[in-house]
Amino acid sequence: MADTTTAPAPSAVEAAPAPSHTSIVIREAVIAAVIAAALASILLGARTDIAPGGLSLEYRPWNIVIAAVVVFFGKLALGFLGPRSGVDLGGAFSGLAPSGDALSHAGTYVQPALLVLAVVGPFLLLSTYGGSGARQYIELAILILTYIMLGWGLNIVVGLAGLLDLGYVAFYAVGAYSYALMALHFGLSFWVCLPLAGLIAALWGVMLGFPVLRLRGDYLAIVTLAFGEIIRVVLLNWYEFTGGPDGLSRIPRPSFFGIEFSRGDGGFADVFGLAYSPIHRIIFLYFLILSLALLTYFISIRLRRLPIGRAWEALREDEIACRALGINTTTTKLTAFALGAMFGGFAGSFFATKQGFISPESFTFIESAVILAIVVLGGLGSQLGVVIAATLFIGGFEFFREFEQYRMLVFGLSMVFIMVWKPRGLISRREPSVFLKKRKAISGDLVGEGAG
Amino acid sequence: MSAPLLAVDGVETFYGKIQALRGVEMEVREGEIVSLIGANGAGKSTLMMTICGAPQARNGRIILEGRDISRMPTHQIMRLGVAQSPEGRRIFPRMTVLENLMMGAAVTDGAHFEDDLARMFTLFPVLERRQGQRGGTLSGGEQQMLAISRALMSRPRLLLLDEPSLGLAPLVVRQIFKVIKELNESQGLTVFLVEQNAFHALRLAHRGYVMVNGVITMTGAGKELLAREEVRAAYLEGGAH
Ligand SMILES: Nc1ncnc2c1ncn2[C@@H]1O[C@H](COP(=O)(O)OP(=O)(O)O)[C@@H](O)[C@H]1O
Ligand SMILES: [Mg+2]
């Protein structure tokens, strides 16, 4: 671990009895421990038990002591190793993991490598574990890819345009229900519904965008949070249309361009002369979400280099300056909301067709929180950061599934850890959207991109 | 005489209930450098921002080339050949110098981008060397040069500058004012300059205005204002370099 002696205690050499770093850290740790004990006395110290004649309170003083001690030492460690101590935690860990900067520098190699891995991955898994053994891993990969796609979609709104959106799950829900309802009522195929669902979600994005145009930061966050909840509550209560808490079931599964993944004549296996196996559908779903995620990736990468993408980033940096440069901040914000929502809608359609069943329970606030955490911890605006954060979180979630009760604890701790270690996210370096030009050697496409 | 490029007529601007401009009258003619001086809090920045439509004037008219722009949204005004280097420069800190300049060209069709970029690099050679550097890491003087260049990238006919000399070393201030003079003389760029640095601003200007508490109290040729006892006493004490 880091060498704590590099954090000098100033008072050791000063004659004046100024409080030393050590004593400040200890005092802060004591304060934190007292606060923790106070909180724990209510949250952890008492438990209701069923007793004859009703409930009884059982006191568990040791829990309070344990909580206080853990917080005390945690705060102490932060004080000596944290950002203000002079000890470079990032440096201390650089041997463990490549730093974000190194990662984004290596991006030119890392990204194609990840892409190749993503394409051949399922076949590697199949040959290693066999059809039934690989299934759970491929399903996990599908889940991770869904969150990567959602992360990239939200990244447009939060990372690029700097609009803090806590209700992103609403668009995921709109996409899912749009697909499910269109497929169930009109019998439209997935490929027809997908763009429509994206469009509907984008419209909802604009509808949310209008009332919040003047809001920024925390106010915007609160309103978007409310918006996400409103959508969920409407889905929950509009029984005739959405099925309410029962949700919608028997949503059509996707077909391979018209060929169903069914047993028997005319099914996928039959047409391609394979033995029927349920894994075919899983693999198809995997490549479906992979293509949707890649679509999101390439569109957002491309947009970043276009005037609209630069306008988003400029908006994030300084809204007043944007207006002073003749940028219409209204349309700039609305396009960010609309595009972000559209990708959320695509992901929602995929979710609905993959599950075959949806209900409002899948679209709670915690989903928005997880997606936002992926974007923020990955490093706002970083595409690769989203991949790493999504893999860590969603993969980690599944890994800790057996330790159900500790999952949120580990999730919370890792968030705290990342925020202390890398306050700007795993990959905080921002890649310029245009590169150095020699005078008079500016390529033609750059000129075209200068347009408003 | 021909109509002025910009005419401000009886403009009153409020921040909520507080009145910042109390019936301002002034004009800027084609090809002029006009300086507005005044103490801190006089309302100079407010006048410049009101011309840009943020905040909008509650009363009065702002005429740009015969058209009343006082009810237009900012982004439309900035598409009429007006550009601004705002108070505090407002560089996009995480974006590179080149990206900042591209943002300046956002209202153009991009056809002249390359030429304009080369022109900026001739005006301020340091920007060419710094083009890949993030705006926030530039020195104060470089940031001011970038703010002016960014405004010029939109090919304006009227350039509005709010305190370009603020917080800069005298040598850098002289360089920036020299460039403003050059732009005016060689390209006929019309400049409206807001300054607390009265000495430089008035020496450079064809005409000047003095603002006190939201009204114009004096006007005249730049050199003439500079010679007046009231101006010297109020704005030049220790201010001359
Ligand atoms: N955004 C604002 N909200 C409220 N009052 C403001 C605002 N901006 C400026 N003012 C007030 O308007 C007056 C003029 O300010 P300003 O135009 O910035 O002066 P100057 O640029 O001449 O220093 C001051 O009294 C200032 O306090
Ligand atoms: Mg000012």
Side-chain angles (χ1 to χ4, degrees):
Chain A
M1 276 298 265
D3 182 8
T4 52
T5 58
T6 56
S11 70
V13 286
E14 281 169 18
S20 69
H21 180 68
T22 315
S23 69
I24 292 174
V25 166
I26 291 176
R27 202 178 62 210
E28 285 185 346
V30 170
I31 294 173
V34 170
I35 294 172
L39 286 174
S41 68
I42 310 163
L43 298 175
L44 300 173
R47 194 172 83 166
T48 50
D49 262 339
I50 296 169
L55 292 171
S56 73
L57 271 182
E58 181 206 345
Y59 289 99
R60 300 181 296 175
W62 278 111
N63 281 0
I64 306 173
V65 175
I66 292 170
V69 168
V70 167
V71 168
F72 177 78
F73 283 105
K75 185 73 190 160
L76 214 57
L78 271 184
F80 286 120
L81 306 172
R84 278 170 300 162
S85 68
V87 178
D88 181 11
L89 253 193
F93 284 92
S94 59
L96 284 175
S99 82
D101 285 5
L103 261 180
S104 55
H105 276 307
T108 36
Y109 309 107
V110 170
Q111 287 175 23
L114 281 178
L115 181 59
V116 170
L117 186 68
V119 172
V120 302
F123 302 110
L124 285 180
L125 285 168
L126 272 182
S127 61
T128 321
Y129 296 102
S132 51
R135 182 176 172 144
Q136 57 165 322
Y137 295 106
I138 299 179
E139 282 189 338
L140 175 60
I142 290 176
L143 195 63
I144 292 175
L145 278 170
T146 310
Y147 279 92
I148 289 176
M149 173 167 181
L150 288 166
W152 281 338
L154 184 60
N155 206 9
I156 294 177
V157 185
V158 181
L160 291 183
L163 304 162
L164 186 50
D165 184 351
L166 286 185
Y168 191 62
V169 75
F171 308 119
Y172 190 42
V174 166
Y177 274 85
S178 301
Y179 166 65
L181 290 168
M182 283 189 284
L184 287 171
H185 291 305
F186 307 121
L188 296 177
S189 86
F190 178 76
W191 297 106
V192 177
C193 291
L194 184 72
L196 287 176
L199 208 66
I200 294 170
L203 277 177
W204 280 93
V206 173
M207 267 161 62
L208 166 67
F210 261 114
V212 301
L213 276 173
R214 287 171 182 282
L215 304 179
R216 277 197 82 76
D218 9 11
Y219 298 102
L220 178 64
I222 292 167
V223 176
T224 53
L225 175 85
F227 181 78
E229 282 301 283
I230 289 169
I231 295 270
R232 192 178 63 83
V233 170
V234 168
L235 293 176
L236 202 56
N237 290 292
W238 196 356
Y239 195 85
E240 305 75 43
F241 191 55
T242 64
D246 301 341
L248 298 167
S249 50
R250 273 175 282 138
I251 300 168
R253 318 307 296 262
S255 58
F256 186 80
F257 304 99
I259 306 166
E260 299 290 333
F261 288 92
S262 55
R263 202 188 285 274
D265 291 346
F268 178 82
D270 179 46
V271 170
F272 288 87
L274 303 166
Y276 173 79
S277 159
I279 196 79
H280 294 160
R281 194 214 307 277
I282 308 285
I283 292 178
F284 174 71
L285 284 171
Y286 174 86
F287 282 103
L288 180 58
I289 187 64
L290 180 62
S291 347
L292 286 173
L294 287 177
L295 183 77
T296 315
Y297 175 83
F298 285 113
I299 289 183
S300 42
I301 287 281
R302 182 80 195 115
L303 282 171
R304 236 200 104 207
R305 304 216 162 102
L306 291 177
I308 181 68
R310 250 194 311 279
W312 285 335
E313 287 199 88
L315 189 72
R316 177 191 67 199
E317 310 260 292
D318 193 327
E319 193 171 337
I320 293 173
C322 274
R323 262 190 242 117
L325 295 174
I327 289 163
N328 186 342
T329 51
T330 304
T331 49
T332 307
K333 280 186 190 181
L334 288 180
T335 44
F337 273 122
L339 275 162
M342 183 184 79
F343 291 119
F346 287 161
S349 300
F350 171 81
F351 178 75
T353 193
K354 183 194 84 167
Q355 298 294 85
F357 165 75
I358 51 172
S359 78
E361 248 173 75
S362 309
F363 308 105
T364 53
F365 167 68
I366 192 73
E367 293 297 318
S368 292
V370 168
I371 303 165
L372 186 67
I374 286 172
V375 173
V376 173
L377 298 180
L380 284 172
S382 163
Q383 307 286 93
L384 187 58
V386 166
V387 175
I388 297 171
T391 311
L392 282 180
F393 278 145
I394 307 304
F397 259 162
E398 294 307 304
F399 182 75
F400 283 102
R401 188 171 281 285
E402 285 145 56
F403 317 94
E404 183 77 40
Q405 43 185 326
Y406 300 109
R407 255 165 87 181
M408 285 320 272
L409 184 71
V410 173
F411 185 58
L413 277 180
S414 54
M415 289 228 250
V416 170
F417 180 75
I418 293 177
M419 282 292 107
V420 170
W421 173 40
K422 285 211 156 266
R424 308 204 68 171
L426 290 171
I427 298 187
S428 51
R429 221 181 96 93
R430 177 186 170 274
E431 286 298 324
S433 64
V434 283
F435 292 96
L436 289 184
K437 304 281 167 186
K438 278 266 170 274
R439 197 193 294 196
K440 286 288 170 193
I442 299 155
S443 66
D445 70 343
L446 188 77
V447 178
E449 286 172 17
Chain B
M1 203 200 306
S2 63
L5 180 60
L6 176 78
V8 175
D9 178 16
V11 162
E12 299 187 5
T13 301
F14 289 75
Y15 292 109
K17 283 186 178 144
I18 303 164
Q19 186 168 9
L21 299 184
R22 306 163 185 273
V24 173
E25 306 278 345
M26 61 145 256
E27 59 178 45
V28 181
R29 285 184 226 117
E30 188 94 50
E32 269 188 325
I33 298 180
V34 172
S35 291
L36 174 67
I37 61 167
N40 205 356
K44 306 181 299 293
S45 299
T46 303
L47 176 58
M48 207 177 105
M49 292 310 290
T50 305
I51 292 170
C52 296
Q56 288 196 339
R58 188 173 294 179
N59 300 306
R61 297 185 311 157
I62 300 167
I63 313 288
L64 181 75
E65 296 182 300
R67 173 162 28 168
D68 189 352
I69 57 168
S70 60
R71 292 287 166 274
M72 268 189 202
T74 306
H75 67 91
Q76 276 179 23
I77 296 171
M78 308 320 278
R79 283 164 192 260
L80 297 175
V82 181
Q84 180 198 24
S85 161
E87 184 168 38
R89 323 193 219 285
R90 292 194 174 268
I91 293 302
F92 301 116
R94 301 233 295 153
M95 298 171 84
T96 63
V97 168
L98 190 59
E99 286 170 318
N100 268 279
L101 291 172
M102 292 182 103
M103 289 309 301
V107 296
T108 68
D109 62 4
H112 306 284
F113 182 79
E114 192 183 336
D115 292 342
D116 291 345
L117 196 64
R119 227 157 34 89
M120 296 313 134
F121 289 162
T122 315
L123 283 178
F124 299 112
V126 64
L127 293 183
E128 180 166 22
R129 296 196 294 279
R130 300 262 185 270
Q131 57 177 306
Q133 196 172 319
R134 294 190 304 149
T137 62
L138 298 180
S139 73
E142 290 163 350
Q143 287 195 7
Q144 187 58 59
M145 295 174 199
L146 179 56
I148 294 175
S149 308
R150 188 178 64 176
L152 290 172
M153 288 301 285
S154 69
R155 308 197 135 210
R157 305 192 33 220
L158 173 62
L159 178 66
L160 310 175
L161 301 172
D162 195 342
E163 303 214 28
S165 73
L166 192 71
L168 303 186
L171 203 67
V172 182
V173 174
R174 257 195 290 267
Q175 189 195 347
I176 285 175
F177 280 105
K178 206 181 104 208
V179 167
I180 296 170
K181 195 176 166 77
E182 257 172 43
L183 285 166
N184 173 259
E185 283 173 357
S186 66
Q187 292 166 35
L189 181 71
T190 311
V191 180
F192 177 50
L193 175 66
V194 165
E195 263 297 341
Q196 271 196 73
N197 190 335
F199 177 71
H200 275 295
L202 290 178
R203 213 176 50 156
L204 179 76
H206 298 105
R207 288 188 308 113
Y209 291 92
V210 178
M211 182 179 264
V212 178
N213 281 333
V215 281
I216 303 288
T217 55
M218 262 184 270
T219 177
K223 303 247 163 52
E224 178 195 326
L225 277 182
L226 203 51
R228 282 206 211 171
E229 201 45 53
E230 313 95 284
V231 174
R232 300 193 75 87
Y235 304 108
L236 291 177
E237 292 306 286
H241 300 289

